[in-house]
Amino acid sequence: MSTVRAIDLVLPEIEVHLAGARIDGQLVLDLRSTLVDPVVKVELVGRGYFRWLEEENTEWDYEKSTACTNQAVYVSKTQNFHIKDGWLDSGVHTFDFHFTFPPNIPSTFTSKIGCVSYFVQGTCCSSQVVLAQEERCLLLQGTAGDHGRHVKDTAPLMVEVRKDVVYFCCFRCGSVTLRISLEKNIFCPSDTIVFMIDIANRTRKYVRKVIFALHCIVLYSGFSSRGEPRSLEDRSEVTRLKSQPDTAPFEAMRVTSALVLPKPMPVTSSLMENKIMAFRYELVGTSDLPCTTSTIVVRVPIIIAA
């Protein structure tokens, strides 16, 4: 039976912590009996890690894949508590701890390839034996990124795409034009992206719906098992909205829509800033062309800054 009856971390009720902010908490130990020469500590750790498999040579007759990995440590701090007289009596003992997050660290992030995670861990040891340990994950909103370079991007933005509607491979029957307009393209996590959609339907069919989604494009920079540099770009959907304008044949329509951004989310950044991952975003509008298997796609670059 362990000397430690229970160990607990008491943290502030903050849903999302901010880079550069301070976190105050308590480590609570409940001992069954006296503990001699204990080591009691709390650690704040933030790490980034990813891994993917890629085929080594597509011309080979057999399949052989290699793992590409990389990792980074964004914060690693430890607070050791002084134990008066070198022992702790039975009962409940409370230890206050304080940490400050570094200002330039990335946000909490998870994908099918990798993650950036932060946690606080409390440990009680005796004679180099871990008697009890408690860990709590933290959500963190990072502020990494050169925000000054985005000042020029505060002007209104409009992107338009026109696509001809073709039936039976050669019979052309009009076109569809999709335009997305924004008053700005710099946003913060938890902001609402408000945008206008103009649809010009020059066909004999209805344009029934348009799907809007915010895509996060991540560039991973890693190494193979032989130490060779590798990179991979992966796209994931952050949030989406389905609009059903039902634009009639040979009519034009304007619709105003909005997407709410989550928090936390990585800010737009480079590999130099995040060490192993770079983040960028696109607002993507997609609509199926009437009575065809084709689609029209509009991509608008969006900047996420904190």
Side-chain angles (χ1 to χ4, degrees):
M1 182 178 295
S2 174
T3 304
V4 181
R5 181 182 287 112
I7 183 172
D8 189 28
L9 286 167
V10 181
L11 299 174
E13 294 182 0
I14 299 175
E15 184 177 355
V16 179
H17 299 268
L18 296 178
R22 171 173 161 143
I23 179 173
D24 302 317
Q26 292 180 325
L27 175 66
V28 181
L29 281 178
D30 187 358
L31 303 180
R32 288 191 175 90
S33 57
T34 301
L35 186 60
V36 180
D37 293 331
V39 175
V40 182
K41 63 181 180 180
V42 175
E43 298 170 274
L44 172 64
V45 180
R47 301 172 181 151
Y49 173 80
F50 64 77
R51 180 180 186 271
W52 78 83
L53 296 175
E54 65 177 29
E55 192 173 343
E56 287 197 1
N57 195 327
T58 56
E59 297 180 355
W60 290 346
D61 294 334
Y62 59 93
E63 293 184 1
K64 184 179 180 181
S65 59
T66 183
C68 301
T69 61
N70 206 345
Q71 58 185 338
V73 176
Y74 297 112
V75 56
S76 180
K77 298 182 178 183
T78 303
Q79 185 170 339
N80 291 283
F81 299 104
H82 174 70
I83 308 300
K84 188 177 180 180
D85 299 327
W87 58 276
L88 292 173
D89 203 354
S90 60
V92 177
H93 302 267
T94 302
F95 303 89
D96 295 327
F97 63 86
H98 316 279
F99 290 112
T100 299
F101 291 102
N104 296 317
I105 52 177
S107 304
T108 301
F109 171 74
T110 302
S111 73
K112 61 184 179 181
I113 293 175
C115 67
V116 176
S117 61
Y118 298 88
F119 63 89
V120 172
Q121 181 175 271
T123 306
C124 179
C125 304
S126 181
S127 301
Q128 298 183 342
V129 176
V130 176
L131 301 177
Q133 199 167 63
E134 175 75 358
E135 182 179 299
R136 294 285 186 85
C137 293
L138 305 174
L139 292 179
L140 184 126
Q141 175 58 57
T143 58
D146 182 7
H147 303 160
R149 72 173 185 265
H150 301 320
V151 173
K152 63 180 183 300
D153 297 310
T154 57
L157 181 67
M158 184 274 289
V159 176
E160 178 181 292
V161 172
R162 178 183 178 273
K163 191 163 187 177
D164 293 329
V165 177
V166 179
Y167 301 107
F168 307 114
C169 301
C170 59
F171 180 64
R172 182 173 299 175
C173 186
S175 65
V176 174
T177 301
L178 184 61
R179 179 192 302 130
I180 298 179
S181 305
L182 298 93
E183 292 186 356
K184 62 176 184 177
N185 72 328
I186 299 181
F187 300 91
C188 294
S190 75
D191 278 357
T192 300
I193 301 177
V194 179
F195 53 96
M196 289 185 298
I197 311 103
D198 291 283
I199 304 171
N201 182 12
R202 297 291 178 260
T203 71
R204 295 183 176 87
K205 304 291 184 179
Y206 278 81
V207 177
R208 295 295 184 184
K209 67 179 180 179
V210 184
I211 303 296
F212 299 98
L214 181 67
H215 289 188
C216 177
I217 302 102
V218 186
L219 176 64
Y220 299 91
S221 178
F223 298 93
S224 68
S225 56
R226 293 190 292 269
E228 299 167 333
R230 290 287 190 271
S231 63
L232 176 69
E233 187 170 275
D234 182 62
R235 178 184 295 263
S236 60
E237 191 175 283
V238 178
T239 183
R240 68 157 40 201
L241 170 71
K242 182 170 72 173
S243 177
Q244 295 179 305
D246 282 338
T247 308
F250 299 101
E251 286 192 2
M253 178 180 290
R254 169 170 287 188
V255 180
T256 300
S257 297
L259 285 171
V260 179
L261 299 178
K263 187 177 182 179
M265 63 186 301
V267 300
T268 301
S269 54
S270 66
L271 283 173
M272 183 178 296
E273 292 156 344
N274 287 340
K275 299 179 182 179
I276 61 175
M277 306 177 194
F279 296 91
R280 60 187 180 90
Y281 294 88
E282 285 181 346
L283 175 62
V284 181
T286 306
S287 179
D288 295 331
L289 296 180
C291 299
T292 71
T293 58
S294 301
T295 58
I296 182 170
V297 181
V298 182
R299 302 182 185 276
V300 184
I302 297 294
I303 295 169
I304 304 299

